[in-house]
């Protein structure tokens, strides 16, 4: 049975490839998800992608994932640094969640150094641009196997 993975992206990540390319790269979100879907297919895994700018929608997606997903790749965007509600939703999902970031948040502003989610995630991958997602997928599939 194929592993089913939710790729969940938070606020402003719909703008990928349109601004701040020096930080976030030039690929659009659609480009990135298409590439990741190909990588997943080579490993016999299936992805579903959800992006939302709304905290509640991200929480709903984590609750829903409990019903069908084996694991989650989650870039919570700026909610990483603030959201206890998303932390609680990760716990409630009872799924392995890999916190994933394009940029190296520790090389940026101090307020980005703290994550409300890392402590309840399986692991964290950051700083490799779109390759962070590929590395997160690889680690998650190895964990699930
Ligand atoms: O590095 C990451 O993946 C972040 O989660 C991205 C968030 C930021 O608030 C986190 O600290 C680290 C911001 C996403 C904004 O994405 C944009 C992409 C292109 C243009 C504008 C924003």
């Amino acid at each position: 049975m194929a592993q089913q993975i939710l790729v969940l992206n938070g606020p402003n990540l719909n703008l990928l490839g349109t601004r701040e390319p020096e930080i976030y790269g030039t690929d659009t979100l659609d480009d990135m998800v298409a590439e990741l879907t190909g990588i997943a297919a080579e490993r016999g895994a299936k992805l579903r992608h959800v992006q939302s700018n709304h905290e509640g929608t991200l929480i709903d997606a984590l609750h829903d994932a409990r019903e069908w997903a084996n694991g989650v790749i989650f870039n919570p965007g700026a909610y990483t640094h603030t959201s206890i509600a998303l932390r609680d939703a990760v716990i409630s999902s009872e799924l392995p969640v890999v916190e994933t970031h394009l940029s190296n948040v520790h090389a940026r502003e101090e307020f980005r150094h703290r994550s409300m989610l890392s402590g309840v995630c399986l692991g964290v991958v950051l700083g490799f641009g779109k390759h962070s997602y590929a590395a997160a997928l690889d680690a998650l599939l190895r964990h699930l196997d």
Side-chain angles (χ1 to χ4, degrees):
M1 185 65 181
Q3 300 288 0
Q4 309 272 349
I5 308 298
L6 171 64
V7 180
L8 187 57
N9 279 298
N12 296 310
L13 286 157
N14 55 310
L15 298 177
L16 269 187
T18 66
R19 276 173 237 162
E20 302 186 74
E22 65 289 351
I23 302 177
Y24 298 118
T26 52
D27 280 21
T28 66
L29 188 60
D30 282 351
D31 294 338
M32 208 178 73
V33 171
E35 194 175 322
L36 198 65
T37 300
I39 294 169
E42 285 168 14
R43 301 277 294 267
K46 293 206 164 142
L47 302 186
R48 279 194 218 173
H49 177 238
V50 174
Q51 186 277 328
S52 178
N53 295 322
H54 305 279
E55 193 174 20
T57 305
L58 298 167
I59 292 168
D60 289 344
L62 286 164
H63 291 175
D64 181 59
R66 226 189 130 156
E67 306 302 320
W68 64 268
N70 302 109
V72 183
I73 295 170
F74 188 17
N75 184 346
Y79 285 140
T80 305
H81 317 298
T82 61
S83 180
I84 296 168
L86 282 173
R87 177 189 174 96
D88 288 345
V90 166
I91 295 168
S92 307
S93 76
E94 295 184 319
L95 290 167
V97 176
V98 182
E99 182 185 332
T100 305
H101 299 283
L102 294 155
S103 64
N104 177 356
V105 289
H106 298 291
R108 301 181 65 191
E109 304 95 325
E110 185 100 31
F111 63 82
R112 295 187 203 275
H113 297 184
R114 183 184 68 164
S115 169
M116 303 305 287
L117 281 86
S118 298
V120 295
C121 287
L122 174 67
V124 182
V125 180
L126 54 88
F128 298 101
K130 66 178 180 179
H131 305 302
S132 291
Y133 287 75
L137 177 64
D138 179 56
L140 184 56
L141 293 177
R142 287 173 189 273
H143 170 81
L144 291 170
D145 290 346

